[in-house]
Amino acid sequence: MSAMNIANHPPPAGLEFNRGDAMRRGTPGQMLSSKIEFGLLAGAVFFCSMNYFRYGEANFTVGDLLAFLCLCFALMNRNIDFQLFGRVSSGLWWLGLTCLLSGLMVSSIVGPDPLRGIVVVTQYLYAYLIVVLLFSGRTLGQLITLAKTYVFSILVLCLHGIYLIHVDGRTNTAFVSGSGRFSGLMERENECAAVIALAVSILLLLITTKRVSRIYGFVALPILIYGILLTGSNTGLVALVFGIIAFSVISLPWKRLAICIPLLVAGTVVAGSSARDYLPAIFQKRVLGALESGDLGQAGTFDHRVELIYEAMGKIDSTLLIGVGADQYRITSAVYQPVHNLYLLLWTEGGLISAIGLLVMLLAALGPALVVIRLPGGPSLCRLHHSKRLDSASDRQCSSSYIQPVLANPARPAGSTCMCLCDSRPVAEATS
């Protein structure tokens, strides 16, 4: 079954969404208010990956402002639904979130910086509570619009990067690092690559479900992929490749896949050797050398990240009940950097209860998945969403800029999952 079947299939009982009907039944004033609410949400999605547009030095962006205004209108319109994906699954979600936040808060109070704990817990509440509630109960048409909005915003981000690198040419600016890595309006190279990789997955889903034209897809895909190359991010490239492979395995028939994979590999090798001189210089320096030699030590900061993972594994015994406190791992680390693995990071900073809380939130996906798997094309979409979740489970540094587009995925009205939120901790940190 193709992914398109489930997108066109009506949701089963208990998963219907009522906002569209409510808008049609409401008074003109209520309809206008609902349209403003949705417009604010669309604006928040568009600006969610553009951290450059913020108030002063505070990490309060235009996207955050629009999301807050959307929340105000949602409260006024009574469009808040705490049963995000069914009674049991929603209960598991809130239980997991409570455990996650409780562990972080207790550990922070006992730790050296309780104030930082309050800040981090507030950011978690924004990401996993406020933003999630804004997307709860949206209609299929609204989610498709939001997904298109996100892809377009990332396309603008990549076009901006192409201009900066190949036309403007300056480095060591707010948008391009001193080494020539594109960070763009996101202002962080690895995070910029991550949100672009997510946009590629969403665009592929929009194309296969015929929500956008193939011409648009063929134009947008190369621009998005080239944007990842400009970041020189190994993480972004791995996310891109994994997402495309997972999508192809799920969407294509096995016979066609057996033909396409060898052709794709051969084409990539030929194109890589003949087009090497045309690839961005930063990509050749940080990524291509490791690919050609097979030495992961040449892949940016790979060895450094592995060392951090081993260091974190050595700390879990001493942080079984009480962690070191929110955002304190990098202070206690020998190299003053956070570990790039969310599960280990939560365990060491918030204790085992925080890590368990995250796992409980992920288990909340099982209820909707069991419902969707019975629908035409359901198994494919379930596997697709879980592959996205695994793809994003490396670190916490993509903030609500990652949460919002995942929630806007057009497959979500059928209840497939919102659980891709798993690695989107909204803490502003410097990246390696």
Side-chain angles (χ1 to χ4, degrees):
M1 289 288 182
S2 66
M4 181 176 62
N5 291 336
I6 194 171
N8 294 326
H9 197 284
L15 290 178
E16 301 91 343
F17 297 94
N18 301 319
R19 288 188 180 179
D21 295 337
M23 288 175 62
R24 287 189 291 270
R25 291 196 303 263
T27 64
Q30 292 173 333
M31 294 175 61
L32 176 61
S33 180
S34 296
K35 289 181 179 179
I36 294 175
E37 175 195 338
F38 181 71
L40 290 169
L41 181 57
V45 170
F46 182 85
F47 285 102
C48 69
S49 299
M50 301 181 182
N51 294 340
Y52 178 77
F53 301 111
R54 61 178 180 269
Y55 177 75
E57 296 300 322
N59 193 31
F60 187 77
T61 66
V62 170
D64 296 332
L65 175 61
L66 293 174
F68 174 75
L69 293 176
C70 178
L71 175 65
C72 294
F73 273 87
L75 291 172
M76 183 175 63
N77 297 331
R78 298 180 180 179
N79 281 342
I80 297 295
D81 185 5
F82 284 89
Q83 289 195 14
L84 307 174
F85 5 79
R87 182 178 302 175
V88 176
S89 296
S90 298
L92 283 175
W93 175 266
W94 299 125
L95 174 62
L97 180 59
T98 301
C99 292
L100 190 154
L101 298 181
S102 298
L104 283 174
M105 195 69 251
V106 172
S107 298
S108 298
I109 292 174
V110 177
D113 193 352
L115 182 60
R116 184 58 184 163
I118 295 175
V119 172
V120 170
V121 167
T122 302
Q123 292 174 325
Y124 264 120
L125 283 172
Y126 168 73
Y128 292 114
L129 175 62
I130 303 301
V131 173
V132 172
L133 289 177
L134 293 181
F135 284 85
S136 62
R138 296 292 171 183
T139 65
L140 175 60
Q142 288 175 333
L143 290 177
I144 290 172
T145 300
L146 294 174
K148 291 179 180 179
T149 301
Y150 175 73
V151 172
F152 179 71
S153 73
I154 300 301
L155 190 61
V156 171
L157 203 71
C158 293
L159 290 173
H160 181 230
I162 294 173
Y163 169 80
L164 291 173
I165 299 296
H166 295 295
V167 179
D168 184 75
R170 290 182 295 171
T171 59
N172 201 23
T173 66
F175 308 124
V176 182
S177 69
S179 61
R181 298 182 66 189
F182 167 60
S183 58
L185 296 171
M186 187 78 181
E187 295 188 312
R188 293 173 188 163
E189 297 88 350
N190 291 331
E191 285 80 351
C192 184
V195 297
I196 297 173
L198 176 61
V200 170
S201 297
I202 295 178
L203 178 59
L204 289 175
L205 186 58
L206 289 173
I207 294 172
T208 55
T209 55
K210 297 183 179 180
R211 302 299 177 178
V212 297
S213 68
R214 294 193 176 185
I215 295 177
Y216 177 84
F218 290 144
V219 172
L221 272 176
I223 296 175
L224 294 175
I225 293 174
Y226 194 74
I228 291 181
L229 302 186
L230 292 177
T231 65
S233 171
N234 292 281
T235 303
L237 183 65
V238 170
L240 172 69
V241 172
F242 184 87
I244 292 177
I245 291 176
F247 193 91
S248 300
V249 169
I250 291 166
S251 302
L252 295 178
W254 287 104
K255 292 182 179 179
R256 184 179 300 178
L257 191 65
I259 299 174
C260 291
I261 287 181
L263 293 177
L264 181 62
V265 172
T268 302
V269 172
V270 172
S273 59
S274 61
R276 177 187 177 93
D277 294 336
Y278 299 97
L279 295 174
I282 190 61
F283 178 80
Q284 296 185 42
K285 179 181 178 181
R286 298 190 82 254
V287 182
L288 191 59
L291 293 177
E292 292 178 338
S293 66
D295 181 9
L296 292 177
Q298 299 182 28
T301 57
F302 178 82
D303 288 342
H304 173 67
R305 294 190 180 195
V306 172
E307 291 174 1
L308 284 170
I309 289 176
Y310 280 117
E311 181 188 50
M313 292 175 65
K315 292 174 179 280
I316 58 177
D317 288 339
S318 60
T319 56
L320 189 62
L321 297 178
I322 303 294
V324 297
D327 204 23
Q328 297 303 302
Y329 184 94
R330 58 177 174 175
I331 297 176
T332 60
S333 171
V335 292
Y336 301 101
Q337 288 288 335
V339 60
H340 293 257
N341 183 291
L342 181 61
Y343 310 104
L344 290 174
L345 187 62
L346 282 175
W347 189 326
T348 53
E349 289 190 349
L352 179 60
I353 187 174
S354 288
I356 292 177
L358 174 64
L359 294 177
V360 171
M361 293 171 70
L362 300 181
L363 287 174
L366 292 180
L370 290 175
V371 174
V372 172
I373 202 169
R374 297 195 296 265
L375 299 178
S380 297
L381 277 179
C382 288
R383 290 194 297 269
L384 171 62
H385 283 281
H386 285 294
S387 71
K388 284 184 181 181
R389 180 180 66 189
L390 293 173
D391 175 41
S392 65
S394 58
D395 58 50
R396 73 183 179 184
Q397 298 184 23
C398 294
S399 64
S400 59
S401 57
Y402 199 93
I403 295 177
Q404 296 186 28
V406 169
L407 288 170
N409 194 301
R412 186 179 154 270
S416 51
T417 182
C418 298
M419 301 306 114
C420 303
L421 310 181
C422 67
D423 83 310
S424 308
R425 175 166 176 173
V427 179
E429 293 180 351
T431 58
S432 57

